[in-house]
Amino acid sequence: MSVSFSSTSLPFSESSFAFQRHPRLCSNPLTVASNNFHSVTCGGRLALNVGGTSLCRRFRGFKLWVLERLNFQFQSPKQPKNRIRIENNLENSGLSNEKGPVSDSSSILHAPDGMVTSMEYPSLLQTGLSATPMDVSGKPSLCISVIGATGELAKSKIFPALFALYYSGFLPENVGIFGYSRKDITDEDLRSIIASTLTCRVDHQENCADKLDAFLRRTYHINGGCDNKYGMSMLNARMEQIEGGSKTNRIFYLSVPQEAVLDVTACLSSSAQTQKGWNRIIFEKPFGFDALSSYRMTQYLLSNFEEKQIYRIDHLLGRNLIENLTVLRFSNLVFEPLWSRTYIDNLQVILSEDLTKHLGRYFSGYGIIRDIVHSHILQTIALLAMEPPVSLDGEDIRNEKVKVLRSIRKLEPKDVILGQYRASGGAKVDTCLNGLTPTYFAAALYIDNARWDGVPFFIKTGLGLIKHQMEIRIQFRNVPGNVYRECMGHNMDRAVNELILRDVPDEAILVRVNNKVPGLGLQLDSSELNLLYKDKYNMEVPDSYEQLLLDVIDGDNHLFMRSDELEAAWNILTPILNEIDKENISVELYEMGGRGPVGAYYLWAKHGVRWVED
């Protein structure tokens, strides 16, 4: 038997053509209708009745399914978890050529037996194929290059994340890993450098040594020397040698200092991009020093790459807490109707570090506003406050995020508290910091739109504090005309309902409710309904770099800042940065290992919000 697509026939056995139900995915369903799917006795071929619409447009999804079935013999025995939408499958398989998501709403398969069946197509990962199609000849279908391969970030985070993805089956077996640096070392030297940092999953360690050996064998080093243009040509030549002329996609991770980014990207753009697949480039924060430098960098990047190729990475946005925000909001009826100024009194985004290592030259020059607030904090607020997107496509989510950022009022000094920690040995400021570099930032933001008018969004983030904490607190308004007011005592603030999304310590979702204490009499207590992840889910949580690298491979860009988001974020913070430069805003000193500046307590009180310690 064979199936005909226009003038193309694909032969296969009848036993392989079996419709199966698959778990529901995020992609649009392909509906199987009845009574219009029939066999035509014409040389054993099976004809599909699809009406007069474009056959190519209607059956792109079905073609993909057939291609997967034909290649099923090459699948890995491990079945990675499903996480890729159909549009990304098409993109990575070369069918879409990165022209955007494919709509399959009109794709209908007509089935026999008079049955109407709703069916979802499996993703490439679900059927055992990696996100990038494998070439059974051993030539890589995906190459990943780490620029700055011998740096600390590459050794401690990037290579371990790549190996974790490879070990778990999210990278193709024949992937090519390339390290680029200025050091005169061999492939074996690089493998020795990174081998000690690579570990297998605690929850499944089968074939660990074999996987590690296979990964290292596919890792290569290129000495770029002092001339990046020549070095990138050498990188391209080595990649082409390994690729062997096959169609291969490339990812470039720039783990380099900010001052080197423009030169590296220019040389990369002209000398190292493939012409046989897509190219994507990853940048580390910060994305400029101020609005002007960021604008110039953006324009330079866009002169060498398209926006869809650029991924501005912030590892804090790869935390499960951030990934879960839109799921909680838009898939639970209990939350979404309450998500507005009508029921919510305030929202708090808290990120504190206990500072277990030296900050270094980078932080000394940029400070906490440029390093954490500009990207992580404002992106978290955008995800919390945005309107429902029209789809889960990355561009649709980014469109809603940028609307929120543009609606945030520019910060004023009266709504901001800055702090800098003291060295632990005395009153002198830590020598790694320059001048007024803030290590603590607290502020009250307001979003001027219909949903959030008048609701304060509080930010509290700092280094050298009493503990490491990362959480979001949504506090609801008091119950109007509460008949139990007299039973709650004088402190009504402690009786408000609260939704707490905690990442550190102990990832959890907590809901604070008022409850009657068992026993005689009427005594109320504020209790927590607790979903503690470590008790519910017996699994190792992937590192945030793994999540974000996998998003880049899949082409999912919703957690990466677009150029217009970048500009909107700078517009919010520029007034405060200008005041700091003019020394018109004071920086309060606080003790290392303490709770931060006292002024933050007064800021909360000024807006009528209770400070929460834990």
Side-chain angles (χ1 to χ4, degrees), residues 122-314:
S123 69
L124 291 179
L125 287 180
Q126 192 179 17
T127 56
L129 300 174
S130 60
T132 306
M134 280 191 187
D135 184 343
V136 293
S137 66
K139 299 173 183 176
S141 53
L142 174 66
C143 287
I144 302 173
S145 177
V146 181
I147 314 299
T150 56
E152 190 60 32
L153 176 65
K155 290 186 292 184
S156 63
K157 291 294 184 180
I158 302 173
F159 283 115
L162 289 173
F163 174 66
L165 293 174
Y166 183 81
Y167 177 77
S168 300
F170 287 106
L171 291 181
E173 290 287 340
N174 53 9
V175 66
I177 306 294
F178 297 83
Y180 176 97
S181 76
R182 292 183 174 182
K183 292 190 176 181
D184 187 15
I185 59 176
T186 64
D187 294 347
E188 286 300 327
D189 292 333
L190 177 62
R191 293 163 185 167
S192 298
I193 290 172
I194 67 174
S196 61
T197 68
L198 308 183
T199 58
C200 295
R201 289 276 186 231
V202 174
D203 51 358
H204 55 282
Q205 292 212 356
E206 63 272 14
N207 302 321
C208 180
D210 293 341
K211 282 284 189 178
L212 180 59
D213 183 60
F215 180 82
L216 292 174
R217 284 201 312 270
R218 304 205 63 81
T219 302
Y220 314 94
H221 180 263
I222 293 86
N223 176 15
C226 296
D227 183 354
N228 278 323
K229 188 168 185 179
Y230 172 77
M232 289 298 167
S233 298
M234 294 286 292
L235 173 62
N236 182 61
R238 187 69 185 277
M239 292 175 112
E240 288 183 340
Q241 177 189 18
I242 301 300
E243 291 166 358
S246 62
K247 180 177 179 179
T248 307
N249 302 314
R250 293 181 181 178
I251 293 173
F252 301 91
Y253 196 124
L254 270 61
S255 178
V256 299
Q258 286 293 299
E259 55 267 25
V261 167
L262 297 185
D263 179 57
V264 171
T265 54
C267 299
L268 190 157
S269 172
S270 61
S271 304
Q273 294 195 83
T274 181
Q275 304 301 315
K276 298 181 179 180
W278 48 252
N279 298 274
R280 292 171 185 159
I281 184 167
I282 305 173
F283 297 91
E284 279 281 349
K285 64 178 182 179
F287 312 117
F289 187 78
D290 52 24
L292 181 59
S293 64
S294 177
Y295 174 78
R296 289 173 175 170
M297 176 182 284
T298 297
Q299 294 307 305
Y300 190 83
L301 293 176
L302 292 177
S303 68
N304 290 284
F305 300 95
E306 298 179 50
E307 182 71 59
K308 66 183 179 181
Q309 295 179 272
I310 300 172
Y311 289 77
R312 299 175 179 89
I313 191 171
D314 180 349

Side-chain angles (χ1 to χ4, degrees), residues 327-451:
V327 177
L328 285 174
R329 277 198 60 190
F330 303 126
S331 69
N332 292 288
L333 185 60
V334 68
F335 294 134
E336 181 57 21
L338 307 179
W339 217 263
S340 72
R341 63 189 297 273
T342 306
Y343 298 103
I344 292 179
D345 181 76
N346 69 85
L347 297 93
Q348 303 177 35
V349 179
I350 302 167
L351 172 59
S352 62
E353 298 277 0
D354 51 12
L355 197 63
T356 56
K357 62 182 180 180
H358 191 278
L359 291 179
R361 178 177 65 91
Y362 156 70
F363 191 90
S364 177
Y366 285 87
I368 200 166
I369 298 177
R370 295 178 175 93
D371 179 55
I372 294 178
V373 178
H374 175 264
S375 177
H376 171 67
I377 298 295
L378 291 182
Q379 284 288 296
T380 301
I381 290 175
L383 289 167
L384 276 170
M386 72 181 188
E387 296 298 317
V390 297
S391 77
L392 292 180
D393 178 73
E395 292 304 319
D396 289 333
I397 295 176
R398 289 161 119 185
N399 290 341
E400 298 303 329
K401 286 195 298 175
V402 76
K403 291 177 185 177
V404 172
L405 294 173
R406 287 171 176 166
S407 299
I408 295 178
R409 257 182 241 168
K410 291 183 179 180
L411 278 173
E412 298 182 16
K414 66 182 179 65
D415 286 329
V416 173
I417 299 296
L418 298 179
Q420 188 180 80
Y421 64 77
R422 302 171 188 260
S424 55
K428 186 180 178 182
V429 175
D430 196 339
T431 54
C432 79
L433 299 174
N434 295 329
L436 296 176
T437 301
T439 61
Y440 183 98
F441 179 90
L445 292 176
Y446 286 88
I447 301 174
D448 292 328
N449 64 19
R451 182 184 286 264

